[in-house]
Every structure is written in structure tokens, then in C-alpha cells.
Amino acid sequence: MSYILGISAYYHDSAAALLHNGVVVSAAQEERFSRIKNDESFPVNAVQWLLKDNQITMADIDYVIFYEKPFNKFERIIETCIRFSPKGYSLFKEAIPLWLKDKLFQKVDLKKALCALPDGDKWNNVLLFSDHHLSHSAAAFYPSPFQSAAIITIDGVGEWATTTISVGRNNTIEHLKELKFPHSFGMLYSAITAFLGFKVNSGEYKVMGLAPYGKPIYADLMKAHLIDIKDDGSFRLNMHYFRFATELRMFGPEMAQLFGTPARLPEGPLDQVHMDIAASLQVVIDELFIKLARYARELTGERHLCLAGGVALNCVATGKVQKSGIFDAVWVQPAAGDAGSALGAALVCWHLYLNNARVPLAHYNPYLGPDTVQHEAVAYLDSVGAHYSVVSDDVLYDTVSTSLAEGKVVAWVQGRAEFSPRALCNRSILADPRGVELKRELNLKIKFRESFRPFAPVILEEDAQAWFDIQSSSPFMNFICTARDGVKEKIPSVIHLDNTARIQTVSVLNNARFYPLLSRFKAKTACPVLVNTSLNVRGEPMVLSPEDAFNCFMNTGIDLLVIGNVLLNKTDQDSPIYSKNNYALD
């Protein structure tokens, strides 16, 4: 019996993951419990939950492993300040007191936090540290179905590395090439995100969604002045335009001079120039990914590719790599960002530190979070005077599919929560994709977010190739594909301006609870597709508890809420007096 606890924390998207004899049994992001978007704090709630979920305490934990090496990161900050002296003094003045006060002693803080957990005084105090990009690589390779594969990780920065190429074979990972800070595509992407008025480390996906509305007229300008990309995918940033290495901001005034427009203010109007900048950045990242993929294939000789790191969540670029045919198959870790590195770190411990054998998975299960416990949901709903019915599966599927076909919007809460930033039909908002105005209605009246934001289609796996130009299944919503002729007219609310969609395919194997609902909807409408978006509103993490789900339901335009076999209709409820939050926008 061996338990390994992996932890990521103290930067953004903190999380915890648990292995039992090498098998991933539980994983969750702290934000789902704390309700703080991108929560960076020690994942105390996530760890307490997974201990409880597996009926163990810290006394049962054999190893704890942290996803990066804090002292190496501190070394990078010091060396960067010296290298960019005297410009680096501003960052030195701001960052060093913070590191000396808190971050430099993260090992001590981690042990204190771990010892404060249930039976923490009985924990054996074995605390290990993985390399940041090794954690990413392990999260990508070990859960993949490949016996061997090339591995590309690309993000902002770990300790020093920003982009790596490795090769995974059996239970080993060999690091082959890396690019070092400050040359970071993640930092470039975040700088443009900030320039466009969105929040760094959470708004990057908005830039991806904005890109199809623009034309890539600045792509050559970016490659001439901001980033020099070589044929092997290596690159250098022109630091004249950036400030992240010397100050606590992403870019300087030179960026506005380059684009001929001032930086957009948060919540400011979105003009065509902003759309064109986003489109241009997407062209640049597409080119970078293709060149990296070609070089990784040449370097490793492998036929399969695994991807991780926050930039790997750009499903437009990963879709281009998949479609390019450079590799026979491409696998992206659903939790590709730092949250997934908690899982990766635990796998580093099991396979590399302990040298245990690996059995490739035919099917990776991303549903690793808290389960939907129906009697707990009923108890909460009773406590707030909600009106509901508990129905059989057959009645549930029939009622919900009929409601969807009638244009109703459904909150769908089933089974264990996704360990992913994207809803994979266990904490989802569902709707009929055939309505022309549905996208606008969902964005403005339910999600309370920017009207340009796209929605994703979830489709029966057996129908996917007839509706979309897709080469294989896509159960984790990690690839963009093109709609076939006539599809946009059938399901306009999930097809983007450029005739693409971030598709999720569903089978009995990957979601036995959702598959029959979608099958029933198809039987009634001849449409095997539904809108699938995360069950949350702007600025909030995805819902986790029945209370979260009920608050979201009561304070948005959602018509039906389903929790397990519990069914609630908005028209049956009293005035929305139960909520702790006011979701309405000014």
C-alpha cells in the first residue's frame, strides 16, 4: 500500500492529486472549494477532501512531492535582476522582500501546512521536489495511451525553462532540449493578453476566442519585432518591448508604438485593432507549434506526441499540430496548466523517484474530483426550501432532452467533478445548438460575459466525423476542428466565425451518464450535438457543491437544474432569496 500526494501551489491554480499504488485516485483544484478563481494558496481544502475521499489521513501518506523547486526559481529571479541591472532593480526591490519573507521558505511553510492536516503529526515528513517542466512532462506522458512519445511542454516559466522537448519511453522521461527565461512564448502570450485588457493567467483563452474576429495583419510585425522564431521552433523575444523581467508589469510603452494603438483598458470597448492583434498572435503561435512539432519528431524519432504546459491549452494550435500529420497521434493532458502539475509531480515520484513500471492507459479518466452525493444534495435543497422531484433515469433523460429540444437551458451536475479547466459534461450548462440567438443569450443572460466568447459543441463520438473534420475522438475538448459543409447552418450557436469549433466527443466509455442524454436528444431532433459550457458565471470557478449549483441556477437565466436524479424547474421555485452572491453585472 503506497500513497503519494502531489501538490502545486503559490503561483496560480493550486491543486492536489493522490496516487494509490501508482493509480490516480483523486485530484482537485483549490479554487473549486475556496471559490476564489485561480486560487494560488496551499490547497488545504483540496487535500482535506482527497484524504477524506480515500478514507485516509496524513499518517497513510508515504511521499509528498511539490511540483517545482522554489530555490531554483529564486535563483532565476536573482540572476535576472543582476543580468538586467540597473533596470532590474525595480523588480529586485519589489520581489526580493516577498521572497525573503515567504517564498524562499516554502519548504518550511509546506511542512507546516501538511502537519496541520488530519494526523499531520503522524506524517513521516518525506517531502520531495520535482522540476516544474518535468512535472508538466509527466502529467502529459504517463496518463497517455502511448508506450513511448515525444513530449513538448510550453508555458510562462518554471524555474528557468519556458519550453522543453523530452522523450518518454516506458517509465522514463529523458529531457533533451529547453529554452530558458526570459525567452518565453507564454510570457509573450500573457503580455499581449494584458495589452488587450484581459487578466494575465486567466484571460488568455479570451484572446484565443477573439482571434477569429480579426485578420492577422500584425503577424509579420510581431515576428519582425517581438519574437524571432527559428526553423527548429526555438525563438528569442526582443526584450525592448517587454517588462516582465525587470518590473511587475508585462510590457512597456513601446508595445503601443509598435501596434499604433494604446493598450486597451480592462472592460474597455473591443475594436477591430484588438481583434486583429489577437488573430495575429494566433497565427504566430500556430507557426511556433508546427515548427516545434517537426523538430521534436526529427529529434526523437517518435510517432506520438504528448503536450502540456499552459500554452498547450490553446486548442487552435494543438488542433493544427494534430491535423498536420507530423505525428500519428497527439495527446494533450486535460489539466495542462499548473494545476495538472500536482498530478505530474506525483507521477514523477512513482515512476522516476521510485522506479516503478508503467502500464499505458487505454482510457484516461479526468473525472477525479468530488462526487455528486444525491442525499447530500436533497438535504441542502430541503434546507433552503427548494422545490424539486427525484425521478428515474428514464424520466430524467426524457424530461431533460425534451426541455433542451424546446429551447430550455439546463445545468447538468453528475458524478465526479472534472480535473480540467474545461467542463466535460459533469459540471456543465447545456443547450440546443440550433438556435441562432442562443450564443448571445447564453453569454449575456447566463454566463454574464463578453458576447464574442464562443461555446463548444459536445457530440456523439460515432457522429463526429460526419459533422466535423476530425481524425479521432476528442473527449477532453483539446482540439479545434472545422465544421463540414452545411453544419454551421444546422448548429450556428457552436460554430465560430471561421467555421471551427472546440469539439468534445462523448462515448459510453468516457461518460456513461451523459451519453444516453445526448442519444435521447438526437432521437428527438436528429441532431447529435449540444452546447456544452462550464457551469459557472464570469469570474467564478466551476460549481462544485449543491449549494454552488443552486445559487448559480437561481441567479441566472438557467431553466432547469439537474443534480444526479434530482430535477428542479425554475418556474417551480420561489423568489431567489437563497444566494450568497449577486451575479448580476452593472
Side-chain angles (χ1 to χ4, degrees):
M1 301 286 282
S2 176
Y3 285 100
I4 298 171
L5 173 63
I7 290 175
S8 64
Y10 303 134
Y11 185 47
H12 60 85
D13 298 323
S14 68
L18 187 69
L19 300 190
H20 182 216
N21 293 334
V23 178
V24 185
V25 291
S26 303
Q29 213 168 317
E30 181 68 8
E31 68 166 21
R32 308 292 167 86
F33 301 89
S34 68
R35 312 307 300 158
I36 300 170
K37 187 76 171 173
N38 305 120
D39 195 343
E40 65 178 26
S41 61
F42 178 83
V44 59
N45 295 293
V47 175
Q48 287 177 338
W49 165 73
L50 59 82
L51 292 175
K52 182 180 178 182
D53 184 54
N54 291 275
Q55 300 179 347
I56 61 174
T57 70
M58 286 302 296
D60 301 295
I61 299 295
D62 298 285
Y63 299 92
V64 178
I65 183 165
F66 194 60
Y67 80 124
E68 64 180 8
K69 297 177 178 179
F71 192 82
N72 290 8
K73 180 172 279 192
F74 177 69
E75 178 186 60
R76 185 252 302 167
I77 291 173
I78 291 289
E79 288 193 23
T80 300
C81 290
I82 294 172
R83 177 183 172 186
F84 286 94
S85 179
K87 291 181 179 179
Y89 178 71
S90 174
L91 179 63
F92 182 89
K93 185 174 66 175
E94 295 287 341
I96 296 308
L98 178 63
W99 271 87
L100 291 177
K101 180 183 177 184
D102 297 316
K103 295 181 180 291
L104 190 56
F105 304 102
Q106 280 180 2
K107 183 174 183 179
V108 175
D109 292 340
L110 280 165
K111 285 198 169 185
K112 285 181 180 178
L114 291 162
C115 288
L117 291 163
D119 275 354
D121 58 327
K122 299 176 183 177
W123 171 51
N124 63 16
N125 273 263
V126 178
L127 176 59
L128 307 174
F129 292 85
S130 175
D131 177 83
H132 185 103
H133 275 260
L134 179 59
S135 297
H136 276 318
S137 297
F141 175 60
Y142 291 126
S144 79
F146 309 137
Q147 189 70 41
S148 64
I151 309 165
I152 296 175
T153 69
I154 180 166
D155 66 1
V157 61
E159 293 85 3
W160 275 104
T162 66
T163 303
T164 68
I165 297 176
S166 305
V167 61
R169 294 189 176 108
N170 300 316
N171 72 330
T172 67
I173 292 176
E174 181 185 359
H175 181 77
L176 301 177
K177 298 285 184 177
E178 73 176 20
L179 287 172
K180 292 185 177 181
F181 186 86
H183 303 293
S184 162
F185 197 90
M187 289 297 192
L188 168 62
Y189 207 100
S190 292
I192 298 297
T193 296
F195 187 83
L196 294 177
F198 302 120
K199 189 176 179 181
V200 172
N201 291 328
S202 66
E204 284 79 0
Y205 55 91
K206 298 181 183 181
V207 179
M208 183 176 67
L210 187 63
Y213 291 89
K215 296 181 179 179
I217 60 176
Y218 298 105
D220 289 341
L221 194 70
M222 288 181 179
K223 290 187 287 184
H225 294 275
L226 297 181
I227 182 170
D228 179 20
I229 305 176
K230 305 299 184 183
D231 288 341
D232 63 357
S234 62
F235 58 88
R236 292 184 66 84
L237 298 186
N238 182 351
M239 297 308 295
H240 174 70
Y241 293 91
F242 302 96
R243 296 294 186 273
F244 58 79
T246 57
E247 304 174 29
L248 293 177
R249 58 177 175 147
M250 295 303 300
F251 58 88
E254 298 84 2
M255 190 82 77
Q257 294 168 12
L258 179 67
F259 293 126
T261 187
R264 174 178 173 262
L265 295 174
E267 307 301 328
L270 276 167
D271 298 325
Q272 189 61 45
V273 63
H274 305 125
M275 302 173 193
D276 293 341
I277 291 171
S280 303
L281 181 62
Q282 188 61 55
V283 165
V284 174
I285 190 176
D286 292 349
E287 178 182 327
L288 176 71
F289 262 69
I290 291 294
K291 287 183 174 180
L292 275 171
R294 285 200 183 108
Y295 182 62
R297 176 67 191 257
E298 176 188 329
L299 183 67
T300 66
E302 293 293 333
R303 296 168 38 244
H304 302 132
L305 174 66
C306 297
L307 289 165
V311 182
L313 288 169
N314 189 295
C315 49
V316 178
T318 57
K320 295 282 178 64
V321 172
Q322 184 193 50
K323 201 171 182 179
S324 70
I326 297 170
F327 287 91
D328 293 356
V330 179
W331 196 87
V332 183
Q333 164 59 240
D338 280 3
S341 291
L343 172 59
L347 291 165
V348 165
C349 181
W350 178 254
H351 291 296
L352 298 180
Y353 183 77
L354 298 176
N355 195 30
N356 285 302
R358 170 176 176 260
V359 179
L361 298 173
H363 168 68
Y364 174 69
N365 172 27
Y367 305 104
L368 298 167
D371 205 347
T372 302
V373 182
Q374 189 158 299
H375 70 84
E376 292 178 0
V378 166
Y380 170 74
L381 294 172
D382 285 339
S383 74
V384 295
H387 303 286
Y388 63 87
S389 55
V390 180
V391 299
S392 67
D393 281 353
D394 187 63
V395 170
L396 181 74
Y397 292 134
D398 189 64
T399 302
V400 174
S401 60
T402 297
S403 297
L404 287 165
E406 292 172 348
K408 302 287 179 61
V409 178
V410 177
W412 181 258
V413 179
Q414 299 288 333
R416 299 189 67 153
E418 303 91 334
F419 186 55
S420 167
R422 292 167 180 153
L424 301 174
C425 295
N426 277 21
R427 302 291 185 276
S428 290
I429 296 173
L430 308 174
D432 186 339
R434 297 174 298 167
V436 176
E437 292 298 319
L438 179 65
K439 177 181 169 184
R440 174 180 167 81
E441 293 291 309
L442 281 176
N443 270 323
L444 297 183
K445 295 185 179 180
I446 294 175
K447 298 286 282 188
F448 303 131
R449 67 185 196 180
E450 300 91 347
S451 60
F452 70 84
R453 300 273 295 280
F455 289 100
V458 55
I459 186 170
L460 293 171
E461 185 176 293
E462 58 267 31
D463 291 306
Q465 291 191 359
W467 288 63
F468 294 94
D469 180 14
I470 186 172
Q471 299 171 338
S472 60
S473 62
S474 179
F476 309 136
M477 213 182 290
N478 280 331
F479 304 105
I480 289 286
C481 59
T482 303
R484 297 201 183 277
D485 291 344
V487 167
K488 189 172 185 177
E489 289 71 31
K490 295 178 181 178
I491 49 173
S493 63
V494 291
I495 306 300
H496 218 357
L497 203 64
D498 56 357
N499 202 40
T500 64
R502 187 182 71 195
I503 189 172
Q504 179 190 359
T505 58
V506 172
S507 66
V508 173
L509 177 65
N510 64 42
N511 199 321
R513 187 74 178 158
F514 185 75
Y515 182 85
L517 173 65
L518 189 49
S519 298
R520 193 77 63 97
F521 180 79
K522 177 189 176 183
K524 293 180 177 180
T525 64
C527 177
V529 183
L530 282 171
V531 175
N532 170 30
T533 186
S534 56
L535 182 49
N536 68 323
V537 295
R538 185 184 184 189
E540 290 258 332
M542 262 192 280
V543 307
L544 191 64
S545 68
E547 180 180 4
D548 299 334
F550 187 67
N551 281 340
C552 188
F553 168 61
M554 291 300 293
N555 289 277
T556 64
I558 295 172
D559 299 299
L560 275 76
L561 169 62
V562 179
I563 307 176
N565 286 74
V566 181
L567 180 63
L568 298 89
N569 195 309
K570 181 66 67 63
T571 58
D572 296 335
Q573 309 306 316
D574 297 326
S575 178
I577 59 174
Y578 314 114
S579 176
K580 294 180 180 179
N581 303 298
N582 179 9
Y583 292 120
L585 293 186
D586 295 333

